[in-house]
């Protein structure tokens, strides 16, 4: 990273900052820091320290810092905060725990790491790092492994025992075989025993159950942040029971018998859950009852080899105080109503205590403006003369003009491009304007004054240091921000959609009840039954009948259509009509299932065409995609390619909302198939959609020798005839069209891939024809 760090030594303040950090003359406050420049500075001054913690004020900013910091150092992790107040509502999801345990695992391994988090990520109480490290399990070939005792220990470590491992945090025991899936691992491990001795250890694929790699040793980390042994559980429940009795008595003395009963019931449920599962799920706000000694995540970073960075300390303190106040107010209100115990009001560390602790560590405060901290006593202050880069918004002439001026002034210039292809093209483009630039992957190559170095990577914003004549220009500065923000469009309620809230229903809407069919929602009525008044949902049916359902049983009905929808036939409550409809549907489903069985049996007997691995063209084509792919999109692309490169005939379904990149998955699959000398057909339900796809495919592939044809009503008969002839002769590589593609006079020379968009919108006859094509070609369905 000398290309980025070496020029900073020309700043008089920089060497003094480094000296202060080495001599532990901290905390230090540096103002004048902006955007991506903060990450640049942190990576430079933090180089001697293996463990770095960057604390900011909200999740959005944390993720932005995480993305920018990855450019300077790949060993960076995001540590998400947990909302202790509402965390129990999502206790079955281990995503947050997985992310946090990945960070903790790296720290237990002693590997250098930079962690980005928010101030509330430091507020919850954790077990000391040494306690977690002590409970790691190491399996080696030849070791003795008693499975029964191990099963109890794994459960205490937060693992879920299942019949077959399907996801992280699970383990299964079958005879002399132990399957276990670490939270932070990409694949599970299978430990085979000969008696009690470990005979072999290998990683395996969850779906196929096939072995991946044989290993001699594997380390299993706790699958939870808290370890629940029997002794810990019993001790905690004893303290909870004592605290509960005292609080129940206080509530009764205050005349609040309902709250007292509620608290007793909540504690009884907690006891049952812990005794059944023996795991530490849901005890985040009760942690003090179970453990004598807890620490903040901040305490995982020692003074000796760590560097703490506070991003915009004024906003961090403001956010931290707000979190503390919100938690205190919420817990006091819940305490009075019998929802929590007194000890739960102290389940987090107050912001002022966290900030005070930072003051005793090697801490750097970074801010854009000058700031006087009320919580941290700063020992020295520095100002950093840096500015954000001007945005050229695709005006290449202006970019060239400024680069020429900087080059003549002796600036060291680094241009950052998101792809290697674009970087190398930029070298050629600048050469046409007599600007000699060079592309390099060597980040230790320091550009000389007047040199333009182009490197591959991603930064949100560029940086300029006028005092030392050094500038880093991001691709977004040069060509504009090309990552369009995709808004999730709210889809109207469709047939069969589950109702999650009364807000989704209006009086007069049509709803479906499984037992009685389509009726009309008439609102909520308060009905008294046996002296007890409750709210009921009223549904009106044909013939004057009405059905009343408890308001708490909202899941028993589904929304069918809005009240403005015309020609909706309402069923009769006691009539046979709804029964006949269900019988008819069951028959249709059974018939469809038989057809699918026959189709997949035919496909199973045949072997599909095996595509080769990605070529240079494929990689270049994908790098030219003008947006940033989502993780789901990348996963779908990878899975599609894997199917195309296997011997089986592909039949993959990709689901996603409008605007979330399904078409790009099809484009890349089509491009891959075309490189194999085979054709691709894209089948869509409407003429307009065919034209849209045609335009998109042409735009993406305009730089490559790919012939794309269109069969739709937008083309004349002569044009369609020419496309059909070219298809038969193999001169059209990709054809896009509506049901015209299914007609008898369409012949392909060598069809390899069929892309079907929105298959559910085709008619029955069309679906039958699609089924015929599916028998021997790869199929990618988008919906």
């Amino acid at each position: 990273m000398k290309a980025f760090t070496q020029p900073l030594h020309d700043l008089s303040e920089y060497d003094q900052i480094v000296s202060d950090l080495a001599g532990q003359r901290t905390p230090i406050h540096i103002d004048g820091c902006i955007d991506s420049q903060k990450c640049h500075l942190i990576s430079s001054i933090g180089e001697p320290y293996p463990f770095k913690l960057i604390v900011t004020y909200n999740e959005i900013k944390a993720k932005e810092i995480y993305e920018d910091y990855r450019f300077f150092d790949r060993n960076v992790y995001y540590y998400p905060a947990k909302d202790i107040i509402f965390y129990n509502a999502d206790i079955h999801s281990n995503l947050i725990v997985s992310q946090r345990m990945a960070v903790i695992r790296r720290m237990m391994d002693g590997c250098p790491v930079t962690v980005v988090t928010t101030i509330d990520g430091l507020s919850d109480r954790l077990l000391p790092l040494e306690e977690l490290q002590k409970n790691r399990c190491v399996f080696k070939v030849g070791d003795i492994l008693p499975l029964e005792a191990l099963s109890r220990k794994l459960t205490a470590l937060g693992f879920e025992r299942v019949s077959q491992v399907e996801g992280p945090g699970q383990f299964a025991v079958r005879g002399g075989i132990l399957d276990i899936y670490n939270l932070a691992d990409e694949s599970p491990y299978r430990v085979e025993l000969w008696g009690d001795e470990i005979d072999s250890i290998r990683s395996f694929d969850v779906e196929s159950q096939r072995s991946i790699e044989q290993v001699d040793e594997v380390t299993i980390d706790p699958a939870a942040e808290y370890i629940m042994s029997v002794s810990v559980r019993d001790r905690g429940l004893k303290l909870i029971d004592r605290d509960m009795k005292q609080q129940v008595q206080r509530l009764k003395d205050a005349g609040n018998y309902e709250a007292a009963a509620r608290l007793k019931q909540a504690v009884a449920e907690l006891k049952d859950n812990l005794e059944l599962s023996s795991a530490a799920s849901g005890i985040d706000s009760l942690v003090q009852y179970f453990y004598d000694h807890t620490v903040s995540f901040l305490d995982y970073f020692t003074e000796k080899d760590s560097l703490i960075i506070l991003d915009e300390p004024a906003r961090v303190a403001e956010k931290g105080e707000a979190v503390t106040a919100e938690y205190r107010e919420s817990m006091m209100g819940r305490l009075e109503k019998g929802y929590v115990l007194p000890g739960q009001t102290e389940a987090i560390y107050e912001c002022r205590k966290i900030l005070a602790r930072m003051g005793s560590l090697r801490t750097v405060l970074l801010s854009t403006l000058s700031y006087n901290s009320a919580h941290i006593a700063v020992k020295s202050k520095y100002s950093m003369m840096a500015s954000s880069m001007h945005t050229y918004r695709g005006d290449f002439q202006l970019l060239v003009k400024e680069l020429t001026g900087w080059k003549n002034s002796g600036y060291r210039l680094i241009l950052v491009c998101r792809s290697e292809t674009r970087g190398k093209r930029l070298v050629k483009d600048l050469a046409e304007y007599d600007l000699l630039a060079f592309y390099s992957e060597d980040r230790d190559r320091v550009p000389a004054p007047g040199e333009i170095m182009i490197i591959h990577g991603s930064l949100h914003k560029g940086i300029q240091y006028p005092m030392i004549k050094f500038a880093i220009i991001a691709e977004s500065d040069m060509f504009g921000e090309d990552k369009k923000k995709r808004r999730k469009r709210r889809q109207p309620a469709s047939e069969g959609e589950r109702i999650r809230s009364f807000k989704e229903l209006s009086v007069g809407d049509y709803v479906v009840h499984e037992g009685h069919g389509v009726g009309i929602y008439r609102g909520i009525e308060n009905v008294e039954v046996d002296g007890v008044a409750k709210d009921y949902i009223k549904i009106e049916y044909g013939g004057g009948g009405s059905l009343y359902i408890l308001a708490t049983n909202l899941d028993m009905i589904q929304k069918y259509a809005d009240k403005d929808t015309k020609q909706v036939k309402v069923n009769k409550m006691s009539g046979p009509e709804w029964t006949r409809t269900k019988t008819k549907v069951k028959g249709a489903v059974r018939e469809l299932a038989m057809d699918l069985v026959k189709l997949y049996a035919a496909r199973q007997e045949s072997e599909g065409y095996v595509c080769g691995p990605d070529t240079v063209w494929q990689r270049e084509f994908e790098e030219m995609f003008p947006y940033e792919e989502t993780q789901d999109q990348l996963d779908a692309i990878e899975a599609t390619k894997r199917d195309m490169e296997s011997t089986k005939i592909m039949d993959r379904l990709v689901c996603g909302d409008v605007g979330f990149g399904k078409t790009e998955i099809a484009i890349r699959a089509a491009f891959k198939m075309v490189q194999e000398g085979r054709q691709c057909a894209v089948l869509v339900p409407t003429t307009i959609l065919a034209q849209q796809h045609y335009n998109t495919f042409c735009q993406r592939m305009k730089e490559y020798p790919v012939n794309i044809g269109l069969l739709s009503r937008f083309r004349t008969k002569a044009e369609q005839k020419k496309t059909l002839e070219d298809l038969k002769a193999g001169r059209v590589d990709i054809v896009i069209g509506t049901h015209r593609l299914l007609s008898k006079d369409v012949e392909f020379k060598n069809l390899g891939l069929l892309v079907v968009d929105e298959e559910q919108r085709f008619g029955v006859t069309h679906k039958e024809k699609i089924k015929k094509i599916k028998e021997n070609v790869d199929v990618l369905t988008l919906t």
Side-chain angles (χ1 to χ4, degrees), residues 518-618:
V518 180
I520 304 171
Y521 172 65
R522 291 303 183 194
I524 306 292
E525 290 187 10
N526 191 270
V527 180
E528 186 173 324
V529 179
D530 295 332
V532 179
K534 293 184 179 180
D535 289 331
Y536 286 83
I537 302 166
K538 183 180 179 181
I539 304 174
E540 181 183 305
Y541 283 92
S546 294
L547 176 68
Y548 289 88
I549 304 171
L550 272 172
T552 53
N553 295 337
L554 190 64
D555 59 331
M556 293 179 68
I557 58 174
Q558 297 172 347
K559 190 170 181 179
Y560 183 77
D562 292 329
K563 58 186 175 184
D564 299 327
T565 307
K566 297 178 181 179
Q567 296 179 340
V568 175
K569 188 175 182 181
V570 177
N571 296 121
K572 292 183 179 180
M573 277 189 69
S574 56
E577 193 176 8
W578 178 243
T579 304
R580 285 200 300 267
T581 301
K582 290 199 292 184
T583 303
K584 192 185 298 183
V585 169
K586 285 179 182 176
V589 169
R590 191 179 296 110
E591 187 177 337
L592 175 63
M594 291 299 295
D595 289 344
L596 286 173
V597 169
K598 291 176 184 176
L599 170 63
Y600 286 104
R603 288 169 63 86
Q604 198 70 31
E605 290 175 2
S606 308
E607 281 197 2
Y609 179 80
V610 180
C611 292
D614 285 357
T615 63
V616 176
W617 270 21
Q618 182 79 27

Side-chain angles (χ1 to χ4, degrees), residues 272-372:
D272 290 342
N273 291 336
L274 286 176
E275 287 170 0
L276 283 173
S277 66
S278 300
S281 300
I283 69 160
D284 301 78
S285 63
L286 295 159
V287 63
Q288 291 187 100
Y289 289 104
F290 293 93
Y291 308 100
D292 289 325
H293 181 47
T294 58
V295 297
S296 162
F297 181 64
L298 179 63
D299 294 312
Y300 284 12
F301 295 82
T302 61
E303 187 176 353
K304 180 182 176 183
D305 51 10
S306 300
L307 177 64
I308 313 299
I309 297 95
L310 211 56
D311 171 48
E312 297 298 338
R315 299 188 68 175
V316 167
E318 182 184 351
K319 174 62 184 295
E321 294 291 358
V323 169
T324 301
E326 181 187 10
Y327 184 82
R328 188 186 299 115
E329 290 172 13
S330 173
M331 281 300 177
M332 293 310 294
R334 290 154 70 91
L335 183 65
E336 292 174 6
K337 295 177 182 177
Y339 287 106
V340 297
L341 293 165
Q344 290 177 266
T345 60
E346 303 294 328
I348 68 169
Y349 292 100
E350 293 184 357
C351 172
R352 58 183 179 81
K353 291 184 178 179
I354 295 171
L355 295 177
R357 171 70 177 134
M358 285 183 185
S360 64
L361 299 172
R362 186 184 283 109
T363 303
V364 177
L365 287 68
L366 301 181
S367 64
T368 304
L369 303 174
S370 183
Y371 162 77
N372 293 320

Side-chain angles (χ1 to χ4, degrees), residues 603 609 611 640-641 643-644 649-652 665-674 676-683 697 701 733-735 741 748 750-756 773-774 776-781:
R603 288 169 63 86
Y609 179 80
C611 292
T640 301
K641 287 183 187 177
D643 281 356
M644 294 175 73
I649 302 174
M650 179 175 75
D651 193 358
R652 181 162 289 278
I665 299 168
I667 288 173
R668 296 188 188 186
F671 190 80
K672 187 176 182 71
M673 187 59 76
V674 166
E676 299 289 331
R678 307 198 75 186
Q679 294 168 308
C680 171
V682 182
L683 186 58
F697 272 70
M701 300 185 185
D733 300 305
I734 300 172
V735 62
L741 263 176
F748 296 88
N750 193 11
L751 181 64
L753 173 67
L754 172 66
V755 178
V756 185
I773 302 175
K774 280 185 176 182
N776 52 16
V777 300
D778 283 348
V779 180
L780 179 63
T781 305

